[in-house]
Amino acid sequence: MQINLIEQYQQVRNQSIQLSAPLSSADMCIQSMADASPTRWHLAHTSWFFETVILKNHLTEYTPVNSDYNYLFNSYYNGIGNQFPRAQRGTQTRPSIEEIMDYRKTIDQQMLKLLDGEFSDQVNFLTQLGLHHEQQHQELMLTDIKHAFSLNPTYPQYQPSTEQTQQQAERLSWLSVDESVYQIGHMGSTFCYDNELPMHNAYVYPCKIASRLITNQEYQAFVHDKGYHTATLWLSDGWDWCRNISKHHPLYWLRKDDQWFEFTLNGLQPLQPHQPVTHINYYEAEAFARWAGKRLPTEYEWEVAARQYGAQTGNFVNSGKLHPQISADTQFLGDCWEWTSSSYSAYPGYKPFAGAVGEYNGKFMCNQYVLRGGSCATPEDHIRFSYRNFFYPHQRWQFTGIRLAEDD
Ligand SMILES: [Fe+2]
């Protein structure tokens, strides 16, 4: 058990370094909008998390690396202390990248010292939490640098293109979910976040869920049908959002010489018609569903269908393909996070994690929507059927897409 945890620790921590390897020191300091953070901040904050919730409390005679870091690298934990303003993270170049890398090394040495001896169940749990937390930030490292690079008119590549065979999208079919009471939430004793618990019963009415995500080509039909200019398709808040954007298409699409392109982590590429449409916000997903005469699934419908029909897919990050691809298999996990129509709220009997990490999930249960499934930028072992991601309805810089549903 201890060896496994040490190996897991080293693998996850090393993966963050690997993901930052293609970036220059200047790249690592950039913050392109308030929602995104610089790579250097992600690398430091994830280390601060281990230092603050584990080392300071569980390693005897531990001395913090730098007393300023608690303010600079605390994200949102009010119980721990004040935070440097999120929107200004990109104004900082010190501590330098080298100092942050040294900080990571010191934290790793101290964590491995702790994990090499006898440690409590609480240290075991908090270490796993720290690793899953770091995996969340690994996805953000990719989506945040993608956003920053997208604003550069030279369209830099995070990594060079790889040869990709263009597959036809499978025919969209409809998967039936029977009316019944189902168990929802995390099952078993493996790690999960507090918001996936407790497992509970939920009544689901008969419905059908699409066998795959909506493709670029299908979304193009919505764009060309003046979807972004038809008020009746949009929620009121969505229409307000729509009227305030200048480009009426998905975030990274670009029209050039009468042809559609898409900005990807491999730079600007011709839009691939059969790949899932991505970087869609809740308003766009909802409007598209209405235009198509369908709706978005609830998170309960999604989870029931995924457990019944879903098959886990590989992690495209590790295979070097950083853009979602269609698989021939029916899949629910691994291309794009999928918007559901469910507001992000507590399951019946929900209890936040104890202590300072109680602020991890619960306090965000207001005005956000649940996304399910995981994306091509999510580490593979961070994906599970019960996972509940959540974002505000206007946000679209994550790899987010559309799976339709309908009443049966
Ligand atoms: Fe965090």
Side-chain angles (χ1 to χ4, degrees):
M1 180 61 191
Q2 292 183 17
I3 301 268
N4 282 344
L5 192 58
I6 287 173
E7 284 177 357
Q8 203 186 337
Y9 181 89
Q10 289 172 321
Q11 189 277 325
V12 171
R13 295 282 287 169
N14 188 45
Q15 180 68 7
S16 301
I17 301 300
Q18 296 298 318
L19 288 171
S20 66
L23 303 175
S24 69
S25 295
D27 292 336
M28 289 197 228
C29 292
I30 197 169
Q31 178 180 29
S32 55
M33 61 170 172
D35 283 340
S37 297
T39 305
R40 66 179 280 285
W41 186 89
H42 288 299
L43 292 171
H45 162 73
T46 47
S47 303
W48 167 87
F49 190 92
F50 284 108
E51 181 177 48
T52 305
V53 305
I54 302 177
L55 295 175
K56 284 182 183 173
N57 301 320
H58 297 277
L59 190 62
T60 332
E61 295 180 3
Y62 176 77
T63 309
V65 171
N66 186 314
S67 56
D68 290 332
Y69 288 4
N70 201 45
Y71 175 63
L72 285 176
F73 302 129
N74 178 0
S75 50
Y76 54 66
Y77 295 89
N78 295 321
I80 291 173
N82 293 331
Q83 304 109 39
F84 182 79
R86 179 189 176 113
Q88 295 171 27
R89 288 172 188 164
T91 63
Q92 310 295 299
T93 57
R94 305 296 175 93
S96 66
I97 304 299
E98 291 73 24
E99 287 171 302
I100 285 172
M101 292 302 188
D102 284 345
Y103 179 40
R104 287 183 67 87
K105 279 184 195 147
T106 303
I107 297 303
D108 287 347
Q109 284 163 0
Q110 299 298 313
M111 278 299 301
L112 291 173
K113 191 164 108 184
L114 181 66
L115 297 180
D116 200 30
E118 289 293 318
F119 54 85
S120 64
D121 288 347
Q122 196 186 5
V123 166
N124 181 38
F125 162 72
L126 290 172
T127 303
Q128 289 192 58
L129 178 63
L131 295 176
H132 284 265
H133 169 254
E134 181 136 354
Q135 287 183 312
Q136 284 186 292
H137 280 276
Q138 287 169 358
E139 179 156 6
L140 293 170
M141 282 167 66
L142 290 170
T143 53
D144 291 358
I145 200 68
K146 180 174 181 179
H147 186 265
F149 281 1
S150 78
L151 301 180
N152 186 323
T154 67
Y155 298 114
Q157 291 182 321
Y158 166 77
Q159 69 177 33
S161 307
T162 49
E163 194 64 35
Q164 294 181 16
T165 51
Q166 299 305 321
Q167 292 174 306
Q168 285 282 115
E170 63 169 301
R171 192 178 62 82
L172 192 152
S173 58
W174 294 93
L175 311 170
S176 292
V177 172
D178 293 335
E179 181 174 9
S180 189
V181 175
Y182 292 94
Q183 290 190 316
I184 298 292
H186 185 70
M187 303 168 190
S189 57
T190 50
F191 176 86
C192 71
Y193 288 121
D194 53 7
N195 62 9
E196 299 165 64
L197 293 171
M199 192 172 67
H200 61 284
N201 289 334
Y203 196 90
V204 174
Y205 289 92
C207 64
K208 287 183 174 161
I209 296 198
S211 59
R212 61 159 171 78
L213 299 177
I214 293 303
T215 63
N216 284 323
Q217 188 172 51
E218 289 162 341
Y219 198 84
Q220 259 180 313
F222 169 74
V223 173
H224 292 158
D225 197 31
K226 301 196 181 336
Y228 282 86
H229 303 276
T230 309
T232 50
L233 294 173
W234 294 79
L235 294 167
S236 177
D237 286 355
W239 185 240
D240 287 345
W241 171 84
C242 191
R243 285 189 299 175
N244 280 313
I245 57 170
S246 56
K247 292 173 184 168
H248 295 105
H249 50 67
L251 180 60
Y252 293 134
W253 285 20
L254 178 79
R255 188 82 167 159
K256 204 167 78 170
D257 301 330
D258 238 16
Q259 203 190 334
W260 284 108
F261 291 82
E262 181 172 29
F263 180 71
T264 73
L265 284 164
N266 307 132
L268 196 63
Q269 301 286 331
L271 186 67
Q272 300 301 319
H274 297 291
Q275 288 185 344
V277 65
T278 190
H279 299 292
I280 292 290
N281 69 23
Y282 180 79
Y283 298 137
E284 292 169 298
E286 221 273 344
F288 177 89
R290 186 165 294 116
W291 172 81
K294 310 291 181 189
R295 62 174 173 81
L296 299 177
T298 68
E299 65 168 320
Y300 288 170
E301 291 169 342
W302 189 97
E303 187 170 326
V304 170
R307 288 188 192 282
Q308 191 172 344
Y309 298 106
Q312 285 225 5
T313 63
N315 173 7
F316 297 134
V317 169
N318 289 343
S319 64
K321 297 171 187 167
L322 285 168
H323 195 72
Q325 292 201 323
I326 290 279
S327 159
D329 302 326
T330 296
Q331 59 181 279
F332 282 80
L333 302 171
D335 280 329
C336 299
W337 290 102
E338 303 176 19
W339 286 107
T340 74
S341 61
S342 298
S343 294
Y344 177 50
S345 59
Y347 283 167
Y350 167 72
K351 287 192 177 55
F353 288 142
V357 291
E359 290 186 64
Y360 200 107
N361 282 310
K363 72 179 187 181
F364 299 108
M365 292 175 174
C366 181
N367 297 334
Q368 307 205 50
Y369 282 86
V370 173
L371 299 102
R372 295 298 200 108
S375 84
C376 58
T378 314
E380 187 180 1
D381 56 0
H382 191 69
I383 290 177
R384 53 188 174 267
F385 288 124
S386 59
Y387 198 107
R388 306 172 78 204
N389 205 350
F390 49 91
F391 282 99
Y392 290 101
H394 68 280
Q395 291 175 318
R396 57 177 185 167
W397 91 110
Q398 297 301 302
F399 286 97
T400 47
I402 307 170
R403 186 187 298 273
L404 296 178
E406 63 181 1
D407 297 329
D408 196 8

